[in-house]
Amino acid sequence: MAQPLFKFFVFCFVFVEPISLITLFAGLTEGATVAYQKHMAGKAAVIALGIRILFAIAGAKILEVMAISLSSFRIAGGSAQARGHFGSSS
């Protein structure tokens, strides 16, 4: 049980790249008070958790309604990730 959970968190950490998002967050909250920065960080974490829970519960149904197979979704996700990491030629 622990190994698949560990793999999931490692994958999420690599895919989301939280280290690179630090500079984005710092830029967006530049000049703001520390209290405001903490509030926005907490709000972002709650929203992200809500989206993750929504798709964990209803993700398969959402894909089914849009007539997208899980295999197609995986291929598109891998393509988007590769494009993001390696850039695009266009």
Side-chain angles (χ1 to χ4, degrees):
M1 175 66 186
Q3 187 176 9
L5 191 59
F6 178 74
K7 285 182 179 181
F8 171 76
F9 282 111
V10 168
F11 172 78
C12 285
F13 187 81
V14 170
F15 188 76
V16 174
E17 297 181 74
I19 304 301
S20 65
L21 293 177
I22 292 172
T23 56
L24 176 66
F25 180 78
L28 290 173
T29 59
E30 185 178 358
T33 65
V34 174
Y36 178 76
Q37 290 176 343
K38 287 182 179 182
H39 173 73
M40 291 310 294
K43 188 174 182 180
V46 168
I47 291 170
L49 179 63
I51 291 170
R52 185 166 291 190
I53 290 171
L54 171 71
F55 280 97
I57 294 170
K61 187 64 176 172
I62 292 170
L63 290 176
E64 182 183 320
V65 167
M66 294 190 299
I68 300 172
S69 71
L70 189 56
S71 298
S72 298
F73 187 73
R74 287 179 178 160
I75 291 169
S79 299
Q81 183 178 11
R83 187 175 184 159
H85 284 284
F86 300 118
S88 64
S89 59
S90 55

